[in-house]
Amino acid sequence: MDRDIGDIGDISAPARLAGTGEGISPQELALAARNHGMPLEALRYDLTPPGLHYVLVHYDIPYVADAGGRRLTVGGLVRRPLALDLDSLRSYEAVTLRVTMECAGNGRALLSPRPVSQPWLVEAVGTAEWTGVPLRVLLAEAGVGPDAVEAVFTGADHGVERGVEQDYRRSLPLSVATGDDPDVLVAYEMNGAPLPPQHGYPVRLVVPGWYGMAHVKWLRDITLTDTPFTGFQQSVAYRYRLTAEGPGEPVTRIAPRALMIPPGFPDFMSRARVVRPGRLGLEGRAWSGYAPVVRVEVSVDDGRKWHDAALDAPEDRPWAWQHWHTAWTAAPGSHVLVARATDAEGRTQPVEQPWNRGGFGNNLVQRIPVLCLPES
Amino acid sequence: MDRDIGDIGDISAPARLAGTGEGISPQELALAARNHGMPLEALRYDLTPPGLHYVLVHYDIPYVADAGGRRLTVGGLVRRPLALDLDSLRSYEAVTLRVTMECAGNGRALLSPRPVSQPWLVEAVGTAEWTGVPLRVLLAEAGVGPDAVEAVFTGADHGVERGVEQDYRRSLPLSVATGDDPDVLVAYEMNGAPLPPQHGYPVRLVVPGWYGMAHVKWLRDITLTDTPFTGFQQSVAYRYRLTAEGPGEPVTRIAPRALMIPPGFPDFMSRARVVRPGRLGLEGRAWSGYAPVVRVEVSVDDGRKWHDAALDAPEDRPWAWQHWHTAWTAAPGSHVLVARATDAEGRTQPVEQPWNRGGFGNNLVQRIPVLCLPES
């Protein structure tokens, strides 16, 4: 289980906030060079093409040379412990779900003060079709004991975090693990192919509607327990806290968000957008982990006035983002485009920064500065 | 062609160097969030798995809904201009080459002073199998005119760079374009599948042995010219220069480099490596765009002493990296591991930083600090 690795000096430091005006640190850059977002122009695709889906790996991507020899164990408070290889998993009826996944830290690097961690802007998202076995089916087969309250999921990725050596490990309440809203999957295919190494090969958890930290990759064990899991990734990381002290609230489902494909063309270095005068389409995707998105509003004047965009119906894919579009007649000068999603339960996106110490669940509206060139 | 976009203020600025102690800027971070390196543990794979190969996109990834309707044109100083769709390209005998590709800016963010651009550490590399038609075959079919001196390649990606609006465009000398060392490819498959959008779908150039800027993605036109191309990406960017003035020297082939899989396990935030005492394998890959790598040396004491690693033979794949391995008996304490490649023409890697204003062709040796824990 988690263990304090002892005195390892500077290499594993407590969480901190960046100082006023402090640039992105070499450590944050090293994370950004490995873990990448989805280039926003890929919002054009309902199903994110391979390699463009966001990736966040806490430690190293485990190397699995012989997936056939691996077993996923299901144990703890169950009547019939299981040890399932890929063939066993494939022998169950397969379920495929289209799921929009987002990192809980998306937007972190835009916060002030900035929590020092993976420095996401707004691109930590992607949509894929995951195929696997519903977790509730496996748990029914194993026979969950009457005292079980949580299922604990252990990945094969191993590292240190704030002085604690650990395998990546997270839990779900039993009601979620055995429920069907969402149908939690033990997935072995992404977009109809074996999982890529960085997405959890050979087997991972998929928890539709929840932020990415719940979707344990390189899944090797599921243990049913009679006490809530208190490991690092559950009780230290991934909590909503305003100060370093206190237990905070757990990070769970995805707050609503709309993203827009930045229109026109970019400057290489600043990524600032340039358009020519005239009418152009604006489009993007919107999602919420709580309920379908029912409204997307767009502002072309940095949030002073808003109008409703046209929102495509969700096509019986409740866990996937929805396409939206509208039009804009660009006039020469500087503009700021904004989009805002609202879900069926009334959750919407703030126009002022929410803030918490981990930089989690931040769904501040996206702002896209655009320069419209003079009439030529 | 390239055109000055006029006064667009701050959004397209001249190249600059970071000031002393200046952290990574929001603009550099925005590039790092889009363009990702290859996580170094992926050096385990001779063929980089999909999505782990490095990506550098100057502007946006063009959206191609109907690849079948696209034509690659071959014109300028040719006797028979061509307009080739995907089916036409597939009608030529296909050639597949395994190619290690590296960004010319790899290592830039480690330089001091740091050129402000895509802030690569050392991960901007990857190896893929590219399938397509040798460019010399297409040029023979088109019939190159006697006055032609260069072939100019135009991609579909469009943007602004230092005030110049442009389609991404690069040239090759005619001797390279029509040569077979390397065999330049007009490629339509990567690892046996259609090109992913971010790697140039539907058609790109592959110039084995050259840095990535030469491998024009989303290729839509090849024009033979009687004067050397002087567009932005040829004569402004991608030049070796010590000062902002002067023409500099063109960036062409890949300088030798060895990379090591960082051993042990990482701290999440610092990416620092931790190992336990005892014997462990060290391994990685090495390559050069000039000649086969004939020697990889490893130091476990930050370059004071070196020993030769075992180097696998290149297997008739002259443009792909080679695997190497050695062993190390780790003792408790702090260590710095270093690897250094030397090619058959005697080129090797410097242990002190080379420097140029664009941060190109930097092949400073990789240094991996490792903490070995006490005996437990």
Side-chain angles (χ1 to χ4, degrees), chain A residues 24 28 105-115 117-122 359 362, chain B residues 26 29:
Chain A
I24 301 291
E28 289 166 288
N106 203 12
R108 179 184 289 124
L110 299 171
L111 293 175
S112 178
R114 182 180 82 247
S117 183
Q118 169 72 35
W120 293 123
L121 302 169
V122 296
N362 178 323
Chain B
L29 177 61

Side-chain angles (χ1 to χ4, degrees), chain B residues 32-93:
Chain B
R34 289 175 54 81
N35 298 307
H36 64 87
M38 184 192 74
L40 293 183
E41 61 270 31
L43 289 164
R44 286 208 175 78
Y45 306 94
D46 196 56
L47 194 62
T48 308
L52 294 180
H53 193 291
Y54 97 90
V55 175
L56 189 285
V57 176
H58 274 244
Y59 312 120
D60 287 356
I61 301 167
Y63 180 61
V64 178
D66 172 28
R70 296 286 179 114
R71 297 285 184 283
L72 168 64
T73 49
V74 182
L77 299 175
V78 296
R79 284 184 286 276
R80 292 171 297 276
L82 307 177
L84 303 158
D85 61 14
L86 266 177
D87 285 344
S88 307
L89 287 172
R90 287 179 183 279
S91 71
Y92 292 89
E93 186 177 358

Side-chain angles (χ1 to χ4, degrees), chain B residues 151-214:
Chain B
V152 180
F153 306 91
T154 303
D157 45 334
H158 185 89
V160 193
E161 212 159 333
R162 300 188 218 163
V164 180
E165 185 179 345
Q166 57 192 285
D167 294 334
Y168 188 87
R169 190 176 279 127
R170 287 272 311 178
S171 73
L172 288 173
L174 192 65
S175 59
V176 176
T178 58
D180 62 2
D181 185 34
D183 235 341
V184 178
L185 289 187
V186 173
Y188 48 76
E189 286 186 2
M190 180 184 189
N191 300 332
L195 303 183
Q198 71 273 32
H199 289 291
Y201 181 79
V203 175
R204 73 174 298 171
L205 204 64
V206 172
V207 190
W210 286 51
Y211 282 116
M213 77 281 147

Side-chain angles (χ1 to χ4, degrees), chain A residues 123-148:
Chain A
E123 301 97 333
V125 68
T127 296
E129 285 195 338
W130 303 96
T131 299
V133 189
L135 176 60
R136 60 181 162 76
V137 171
L138 297 182
L139 293 182
E141 171 108 358
V144 176
D147 296 335

Side-chain angles (χ1 to χ4, degrees), chain A residues 14-371:
Chain A
R16 72 177 186 94
L17 304 175
T20 306
E22 179 183 336
I24 301 291
S25 65
Q27 299 190 341
E28 289 166 288
L29 176 62
L31 284 170
R34 289 174 54 82
N35 298 307
H36 64 87
M38 184 192 74
L40 293 182
E41 61 269 33
L43 289 163
R44 287 208 174 78
Y45 306 93
D46 195 55
L47 194 61
T48 308
L52 294 179
H53 193 291
Y54 98 89
V55 174
L56 188 287
V57 175
H58 274 245
Y59 312 120
D60 287 355
I61 301 167
Y63 179 62
V64 178
D66 171 29
R70 296 285 179 117
R71 297 285 184 283
L72 168 64
T73 49
V74 183
L77 299 175
V78 296
R79 282 184 289 275
R80 291 171 297 275
L82 307 177
L84 303 159
D85 62 14
L86 267 177
D87 285 343
S88 307
L89 287 172
R90 288 179 184 278
S91 71
Y92 292 88
E93 187 176 358
V95 170
T96 297
L97 295 176
R98 186 169 294 208
V99 176
T100 295
M101 207 180 289
E102 182 177 7
C103 184
N106 203 12
R108 179 184 289 124
L110 299 171
L111 293 175
S112 178
R114 182 180 82 247
V116 174
S117 183
Q118 169 72 35
W120 293 123
L121 302 169
V122 296
E123 301 97 333
V125 68
T127 296
E129 285 195 338
W130 303 96
T131 299
V133 189
L135 176 60
R136 60 181 162 76
V137 171
L138 297 182
L139 293 182
E141 171 108 358
V144 176
D147 296 335
V149 299
E150 284 200 349
V152 180
F153 306 90
T154 303
D157 44 333
H158 185 89
V160 193
E161 212 158 334
R162 301 189 218 161
V164 180
E165 184 179 346
Q166 57 192 285
D167 293 334
Y168 188 86
R169 189 177 281 126
R170 287 272 311 178
S171 73
L172 288 173
L174 192 65
S175 60
V176 177
T178 58
D180 62 1
D181 184 35
D183 235 342
V184 178
L185 289 187
V186 174
Y188 47 76
E189 285 186 2
M190 181 185 189
N191 300 332
L195 303 183
Q198 70 273 34
H199 289 291
Y201 181 79
V203 175
R204 73 175 297 171
L205 205 64
V206 172
V207 190
W210 286 51
Y211 282 116
M213 78 280 146
H215 306 233
V216 177
K217 297 190 283 287
W218 312 291
L219 182 64
R220 60 179 182 77
D221 181 72
I222 303 172
T223 295
L224 281 293
T225 64
D226 59 3
T227 51
F229 176 62
T230 58
F232 183 90
Q233 302 295 345
Q234 202 83 23
S235 60
V236 181
Y238 296 114
R239 309 291 291 195
Y240 292 112
R241 284 191 190 90
L242 292 179
T243 66
E245 290 74 41
E249 291 295 319
V251 176
T252 58
R253 289 183 186 246
I254 299 174
R257 190 193 294 271
L259 287 179
M260 183 188 299
I261 300 172
F265 52 87
D267 176 69
F268 168 70
M269 190 63 226
S270 72
R271 298 295 310 164
R273 309 301 303 190
V274 180
V275 301
R276 302 197 192 286
R279 188 175 170 86
L280 65 162
L282 302 177
E283 63 173 318
R285 309 269 165 184
W287 63 93
S288 164
Y290 291 94
V293 169
V294 292
R295 187 178 195 189
V296 171
E297 299 160 280
V298 170
S299 169
V300 297
D301 59 4
D302 202 9
R304 282 184 286 280
K305 293 192 301 292
W306 297 84
H307 70 273
D308 281 0
L311 183 67
D312 294 359
E315 295 186 55
D316 196 27
R317 289 171 177 154
W319 308 112
W321 56 24
Q322 291 162 247
H323 181 256
W324 59 265
H325 69 277
T326 185
W328 174 43
T329 301
S334 293
H335 308 273
V336 177
L337 310 184
V338 196
R340 177 169 66 187
T342 301
D343 73 18
E345 295 181 358
R347 287 181 186 79
T348 189
Q349 294 184 249
V351 294
E352 300 291 337
Q353 154 189 304
W355 191 89
N356 60 79
R357 207 181 146 80
F360 298 121
N362 178 323
N363 66 338
L364 177 67
V365 293
Q366 173 196 25
R367 284 190 166 82
I368 305 178
V370 176
L371 177 73

Side-chain angles (χ1 to χ4, degrees), chain B:
Chain B
M1 301 294 282
D2 295 358
R3 65 174 203 171
D4 190 321
I5 200 173
D7 181 13
I8 51 172
D10 293 341
I11 76 165
S12 198
R16 72 177 185 93
L17 303 176
T20 306
E22 180 184 335
I24 300 291
S25 64
Q27 298 189 341
E28 289 166 286
L29 177 61
L31 284 170
R34 289 175 54 81
N35 298 307
H36 64 87
M38 184 192 74
L40 293 183
E41 61 270 31
L43 289 164
R44 286 208 175 78
Y45 306 94
D46 196 56
L47 194 62
T48 308
L52 294 180
H53 193 291
Y54 97 90
V55 175
L56 189 285
V57 176
H58 274 244
Y59 312 120
D60 287 356
I61 301 167
Y63 180 61
V64 178
D66 172 28
R70 296 286 179 114
R71 297 285 184 283
L72 168 64
T73 49
V74 182
L77 299 175
V78 296
R79 284 184 286 276
R80 292 171 297 276
L82 307 177
L84 303 158
D85 61 14
L86 266 177
D87 285 344
S88 307
L89 287 172
R90 287 179 183 279
S91 71
Y92 292 89
E93 186 177 358
V95 170
T96 297
L97 295 176
R98 186 169 293 207
V99 176
T100 295
M101 206 180 289
E102 182 177 8
C103 184
N106 203 13
R108 179 185 288 124
L110 298 172
L111 293 175
S112 176
R114 183 180 81 247
V116 173
S117 182
Q118 170 73 34
W120 292 124
L121 301 169
V122 297
E123 299 96 334
V125 68
T127 295
E129 285 196 337
W130 302 96
T131 299
V133 190
L135 176 61
R136 61 183 163 74
V137 171
L138 297 182
L139 293 182
E141 171 107 358
V144 175
D147 296 335
V149 298
E150 283 199 351
V152 180
F153 306 91
T154 303
D157 45 334
H158 185 89
V160 193
E161 212 159 333
R162 300 188 218 163
V164 180
E165 185 179 345
Q166 57 192 285
D167 294 334
Y168 188 87
R169 190 176 279 127
R170 287 272 311 178
S171 73
L172 288 173
L174 192 65
S175 59
V176 176
T178 58
D180 62 2
D181 185 34
D183 235 341
V184 178
L185 289 187
V186 173
Y188 48 76
E189 286 186 2
M190 180 184 189
N191 300 332
L195 303 183
Q198 71 273 32
H199 289 291
Y201 181 79
V203 175
R204 73 174 298 171
L205 204 64
V206 172
V207 190
W210 286 51
Y211 282 116
M213 77 281 147
H215 307 233
V216 177
K217 296 189 285 288
W218 312 290
L219 182 64
R220 59 179 183 77
D221 181 72
I222 303 171
T223 295
L224 282 292
T225 64
D226 60 3
T227 52
F229 177 61
T230 59
F232 181 89
Q233 302 295 346
Q234 203 82 24
S235 59
V236 180
Y238 295 113
R239 309 291 289 198
Y240 291 112
R241 284 190 190 91
L242 291 180
T243 67
E245 291 73 40
E249 292 296 319
V251 177
T252 59
R253 289 183 187 244
I254 299 174
R257 190 192 295 270
L259 287 179
M260 184 189 299
I261 300 171
F265 52 87
D267 177 70
F268 168 71
M269 190 62 227
S270 71
R271 298 297 308 164
R273 310 300 303 191
V274 180
V275 301
R276 302 197 192 286
R279 188 173 167 88
L280 66 161
L282 301 177
E283 62 172 318
R285 308 269 166 185
W287 62 94
S288 164
Y290 291 94
V293 169
V294 292
R295 187 178 195 188
V296 171
E297 298 159 280
V298 170
S299 168
V300 297
D301 60 3
D302 202 9
R304 282 183 287 279
K305 295 191 300 292
W306 296 84
H307 70 272
D308 281 1
L311 183 66
D312 294 359
E315 294 187 55
D316 197 28
R317 290 171 176 155
W319 309 112
W321 56 25
Q322 293 162 245
H323 181 256
W324 59 265
H325 68 278
T326 186
W328 174 43
T329 301
S334 293
H335 308 272
V336 177
L337 309 185
V338 196
R340 177 169 66 187
T342 302
D343 73 17
E345 296 180 358
R347 287 181 186 80
T348 190
Q349 294 184 249
V351 293
E352 299 290 335
Q353 153 188 306
W355 190 90
N356 61 80
R357 206 181 147 80
F360 298 121
N362 178 322
N363 65 338
L364 177 66
V365 292
Q366 173 197 23
R367 282 189 168 82
I368 305 179
V370 176
L371 176 73
C372 180
L373 296 174
E375 304 280 354
S376 59

